[in-house]
Amino acid sequence: EFGEDQGDEADLVPRPPVVTVMGHVDHGKTKLLDTIRNTNVAAREAGGITQHIGAYQVTTTLDGEERKITFIDTPGHEAFTAMRARGAQVTDIAVLVVAADDGVKPQTIEALNHARAADVPVVVAVNKIDKEGADPIKVRSQLTEYDLVAEEYGGSTLFVDISAKEGIGIDNLLEAILLTADAELDLRANPDMPAQGVAIEAHLDKGRGPVATVLVQRGTLRVGDSIVCGEAFGRVRAMLDDNGKALKEAPPSCPVQVLGLTSVPRAGDNFIVVPDDRVARQIAQQRAARQRSAEMAKSGRRRTLEEMFKDLEKGKVSELKLIIKGDVSGSVEALEDALLKIDVGEEAKLRVLHRGVGAITEYDVNLAMADDNAVIIGFNVRPEVRARELAEREGVDIRYYSVIYQAIEEIEAALKGLLKPEYEEVVTGTAEIREIFRVPKIGNVAGCVVRSGVITRNSKARLIRDGTVVADNLTIESLRRFKDDVTEVREGFECGIGLGYNDIKIEDVIETFEMREKPRA
Ligand code: GDP
């Protein structure tokens, strides 16, 4: 749905870089974002009311040329990672803030690792140089150990000394961002196509209804466009920039607040412009269905491939029949090619009944049933709700993969009769909910004590009430000790856990787990 096609090279024009500010807590991320924004106020039209809408754009000059930079107005890598987890790549450049009086800290490195995982170039803002004890040189040498070498030391990373508080070095930082963008990235987009992008922030406003800040990534978004954003849809009734000024259109890299959606999307949801409201509604409903099924999805049954092999062995069937669904046509083709190359001799053969792109549908399940227990392979896709229900009722085996070789190995093993369940679930930690905190915009956060093992951020989790699983497929979205974000909390310690799931109760148990490779017999 989020197409790659932007037309010809010739249609691409430069777009501003999109920047996320990351770094250790208290090193000045929020202050820096405010300062950059306020420094730029002069360049704005008078009379606007500054509002935090989740992102803003500033204008600066480089080599006499007027240039824009878009800043994501949520400091920290949490939002960055949450969006990435949802498949949205929003950031082009990361500004890594390091307080010169405090130096490199664990979260500095964590932030750096996130930027690297996303393949995003880093500009280092050495902050608080106004403070006594500030040692910007030390910051540079500390980061050298993490292969982040300042240009002046022969490396390729721009370090800029700043004081977010005193407004020192801000222009240099903006310049460094643009220089890094120009040197390392090809930031161009086609403005002449229906807009696509990502929701950065959204909420329900009492007077205005659902309000979403979106970042346009391609094309131009216009008032009157019908859009789908995650499971939300609607027609753009009005667009506002971060000065509250009404816009008629928003080009690539422009963040705008959009009014007119019929429900509130989630941060990280992609949006697209579609031909009309009807199509928008349809897509949104399909997505909602898919989302529900993803929430319901547990790991697929592990039985049928073995059964299938037994049938093969007994000569009851001579073919393993597959239906392959994948997220993009390239992966489906690659997987099909690879599977068809598996050769285990004449006796056991493999046949692909159907292949396609998109969620597993009722059609696929029906086809599998019709053809005597064909197995459905979901490569980075999940079933729609009805398809899942039907598959469960009828015992159709759906197997999920996200790595081609794993699919190949398992199916080859099935064909050879060597199949052992490759993974088993291991509970890694449990925590009991002692208190519930209502956090505006985030939802309920569980005040917990870790009862066993280790609770690790980003790990998979489920919620257990009176011994019954009441919600599965959750994630430890946030993990805090007191005011600090932490990556793990051990048995006996207290912590705050955000699951992105609000229906929690005191005494509920949060259980985290992971799939581990099972040793082969
Ligand atoms: P964040 O947790 O990284 O978002 O940090 P904040 O922006 O909230 O800053 C933490 C504290 O450091 C606040 O009290 C800021 O006023 C202060 N601070 C931020 N930047 C500077 C700076 O350049 N100089 C000084 N002296 N203090 C700063």
Side-chain angles (χ1 to χ4, degrees), residues 449-453 481 489-494:
V449 60
V450 179
R451 281 282 173 233
S452 67
R481 291 254 316 136
V489 178
R490 294 187 174 274
E491 184 176 331
F493 289 95
E494 290 179 337

Side-chain angles (χ1 to χ4, degrees), residues 322-326 332 335-336 339 352 354-356 375 377 379:
L322 299 178
I323 293 165
I324 305 176
K325 294 300 285 283
V332 173
L335 183 58
E336 181 177 1
L339 291 177
V352 177
H354 173 65
R355 74 199 63 76
V375 174
I377 304 279
F379 191 76

Side-chain angles (χ1 to χ4, degrees), residues 21 88 129 181 197 214 233 286 306 328 351 375 383 407 443 461 471 515:
V21 173
I129 55 157
V214 302
F233 69 98
Q286 274 170 19
E306 282 158 284
V328 290
R351 188 153 69 93
V375 174
M515 303 305 286

